[in-house]
Amino acid sequence: MQGRASALVFGDREDPRKRLAELFGGDVPEAAQPPQPAMDWAADLLRGTAGRQITTQLEAIRLFRAAEPRLGLKPATFLAKNALAAR
């Protein structure tokens, strides 16, 4: 697994589904979807007071990364894209 410092310097080449499974649990899906626990977490945030006002992917990424500081940009972007589409 690529380390955080390495990802910052050389670019994040890791599958975001694996990083999300590491952070939130669950299995890595075969399809291009985040793990279900990560989707549930994101949906809960988007249903919350701060999340209801979110309309853009950038705002969702900001919300997710503020709520979970270990969440990198690539997995946060992947999660935001899918969570907003499932809304």
Side-chain angles (χ1 to χ4, degrees):
M1 179 172 293
Q2 184 179 14
R4 182 169 168 79
S6 174
L8 290 173
V9 173
F10 300 111
D12 190 356
R13 293 187 177 96
E14 186 175 22
D15 183 348
R17 297 172 305 155
K18 290 180 182 177
R19 181 68 70 176
L20 290 169
E22 177 186 304
L23 288 173
F24 298 102
D27 296 324
V28 176
E30 294 293 323
Q33 283 282 47
Q36 193 58 48
M39 284 292 286
D40 294 342
W41 176 81
D44 286 345
L45 283 177
L46 291 173
R47 280 192 297 267
T49 305
R52 283 186 223 133
Q53 300 171 9
I54 289 181
T55 58
T56 68
Q57 188 173 323
L58 181 60
E59 292 170 328
I61 292 166
R62 190 176 298 133
L63 175 71
F64 297 162
R65 293 187 79 193
E68 177 51 76
R70 297 175 298 163
L71 189 58
L73 181 58
K74 186 174 180 179
T77 302
F78 180 67
L79 184 57
K81 177 184 170 194
N82 284 279
L84 289 172
R87 212 181 207 185

